[in-house]
Amino acid sequence: MNETPQWLSPAEQHAWRNFVRLHQKLRARMERDLQAHAKLSGADFEILVALTDVPAGRLRFQDLGRAVDWEQSRLSHQIARMIKRGLVVREECAEDARRAFVVITPAGRKTIEAAAPHHVATVRRLVIDALSPDELATLARISNRILEQLDEAPP
Amino acid sequence: MNETPQWLSPAEQHAWRNFVRLHQKLRARMERDLQAHAKLSGADFEILVALTDVPAGRLRFQDLGRAVDWEQSRLSHQIARMIKRGLVVREECAEDARRAFVVITPAGRKTIEAAAPHHVATVRRLVIDALSPDELATLARISNRILEQLDEAPP
DNA sequence: ACGTGTCAGTTGATGTGTCATGTACTCTAA
DNA sequence: TTAGAGTACATGACACATCAACTGACACGT
């Protein structure tokens, strides 16, 4: 039906490969860094940030899911693990027994507060400071563009 | 010793959050796409690409590890799974019994050849075509810059 | 020949992400 | 008022990543 498949040009391939490599390396690095300094996974960190973003440190399961943009199942598993480690607790909902809240514990708060400065410093050192303000803006714009593309073409 | 921890400026935070979000979404999307169309994980794909990049479709374990830039253990587990699915086979090394080769099977070759065009098309549609040539070049440059930063600051 | 160190790869434990399915609860409409 | 649809979350099975500990093979000096 269609012509020979459209391969990437050398420049395109170069950009794509670099980008993929960046993904993998940066992700692995951040993960190890966080683990080493705070005994937290990136997932833990994200959840704790979302919870501390709201004053009560307490969110409905679903709202938390929206905040971090995760699937329900992933969240459920993750919260179960975090409960086991005492970072958060589950709270029943009086009005609707199906619902549940996730609440950060004092230990969880302490952990995230201890972890955040170093994490931010790492982000700054590895990413922000490596780029000019212009490049940073471009990166933000590019990211947005691709994210839109993703939303537009879900099939 | 140091002042109050240096948080990110709004612009920096915006860029960083977008970038992280992009990571997660794009990765998940590519993974699902590959899985749906070719029954391959991203990991499978990477291995098969590395193997087809070399004429014999056959690489020493270690060379394969360098090609995809993975840790040994990860590679070992992955290859074990791929052997079980018939995508590759292991071959002993006559000269040095410690070494081993990984060889792509005809089935593996068929799988990757079936998967690649759709995958490339997806990359093009979601990423390449969403950006101007200038932006793409900037993305490549930025990626390189950060990768260098990662290499320079391993602790 | 024989330790000893190092190399190449394996294995098991644990945490993580995804899919499909399960379950308890609530709502709605006949 | 109750059957059935839909909601909110849980669970089990599996693939994947990482860490640490392990095995077996080679290399080499004594």
Side-chain angles (χ1 to χ4, degrees):
Chain A
M1 189 67 56
N2 44 15
E3 308 298 301
T4 69
Q6 259 206 287
W7 298 106
L8 302 182
S9 76
E12 288 165 349
Q13 187 153 148
H14 177 245
W16 174 245
R17 290 226 172 191
N18 273 358
F19 185 56
V20 169
R21 211 177 165 76
L22 170 59
H23 264 224
Q24 298 172 342
K25 290 276 202 175
L26 186 55
R27 186 187 193 298
R29 173 59 187 274
M30 294 302 241
E31 204 81 28
R32 245 176 316 148
D33 196 70
L34 218 47
Q35 192 67 49
H37 281 272
K39 307 278 188 203
L40 287 178
S41 69
D44 299 333
F45 189 83
E46 241 185 304
I47 295 297
L48 293 179
V49 165
L51 284 176
T52 46
D53 264 0
V54 48
R58 158 199 171 87
L59 277 172
R60 268 189 50 199
F61 229 91
Q62 249 196 340
D63 296 334
L64 180 53
R66 258 191 298 278
V68 295
D69 200 16
W70 285 8
E71 294 186 5
Q72 195 276 318
S73 166
R74 179 182 173 189
L75 190 58
S76 189
H77 282 299
Q78 178 68 29
I79 295 301
R81 287 187 297 259
M82 291 178 75
I83 289 174
K84 222 183 296 181
R85 277 177 290 155
L87 298 170
V88 299
V89 294
R90 187 192 317 273
E91 253 182 37
E92 306 301 317
C93 177
E95 303 108 45
D96 187 336
R98 289 170 303 181
R99 302 181 179 181
F101 291 93
V102 180
V103 192
I104 189 169
T105 62
R109 207 175 279 275
K110 223 168 117 187
T111 305
I112 187 69
E113 275 163 8
H118 178 79
H119 181 71
V120 172
T122 304
V123 170
R124 180 173 289 291
R125 187 163 48 93
L126 295 179
V127 180
I128 311 284
D129 287 352
L131 308 179
S132 74
D134 258 22
E135 288 172 332
L136 200 65
T138 303
L139 183 58
R141 190 158 35 81
I142 287 176
S143 299
N144 253 335
R145 193 87 50 77
I146 299 177
L147 281 169
E148 282 166 20
Q149 204 66 22
L150 284 174
D151 283 343
E152 278 171 23
Chain B
M1 189 66 59
N2 44 14
E3 309 297 300
T4 69
Q6 260 207 286
W7 299 108
L8 301 182
S9 77
E12 288 166 348
Q13 187 153 147
H14 177 245
W16 174 245
R17 290 225 174 189
N18 272 357
F19 185 56
V20 168
R21 211 177 164 77
L22 169 59
H23 266 224
Q24 298 172 342
K25 290 276 202 176
L26 186 55
R27 187 187 192 298
R29 173 60 186 275
M30 294 303 242
E31 204 81 26
R32 244 177 317 153
D33 196 72
L34 217 48
Q35 193 66 49
H37 280 272
K39 308 276 189 203
L40 286 179
S41 69
D44 298 334
F45 190 83
E46 241 185 303
I47 296 296
L48 293 179
V49 165
L51 285 175
T52 45
D53 263 1
V54 46
R58 157 200 173 86
L59 276 173
R60 268 189 50 199
F61 225 92
Q62 250 197 337
D63 296 335
L64 180 53
R66 257 191 297 279
V68 294
D69 200 16
W70 285 8
E71 295 186 6
Q72 273 237 341
S73 168
R74 179 180 175 191
L75 190 57
S76 188
H77 283 298
Q78 178 68 29
I79 295 302
R81 287 188 297 261
M82 291 179 75
I83 289 174
K84 222 184 294 183
R85 277 178 289 155
L87 297 170
V88 299
V89 293
R90 187 193 319 272
E91 253 182 36
E92 306 299 317
C93 177
E95 304 110 43
D96 187 338
R98 290 171 301 183
R99 301 181 178 181
F101 292 93
V102 180
V103 192
I104 191 170
T105 61
R109 206 175 279 274
K110 223 169 119 186
T111 305
I112 188 67
E113 275 163 7
H118 178 80
H119 181 72
V120 171
T122 303
V123 170
R124 178 173 290 290
R125 187 162 47 94
L126 295 179
V127 180
I128 310 285
D129 287 351
L131 307 179
S132 74
D134 257 21
E135 288 172 332
L136 200 65
T138 302
L139 183 57
R141 191 158 35 81
I142 287 177
S143 299
N144 253 336
R145 193 86 51 76
I146 300 177
L147 281 169
E148 282 166 18
Q149 204 65 22
L150 286 174
D151 283 343
E152 279 170 23

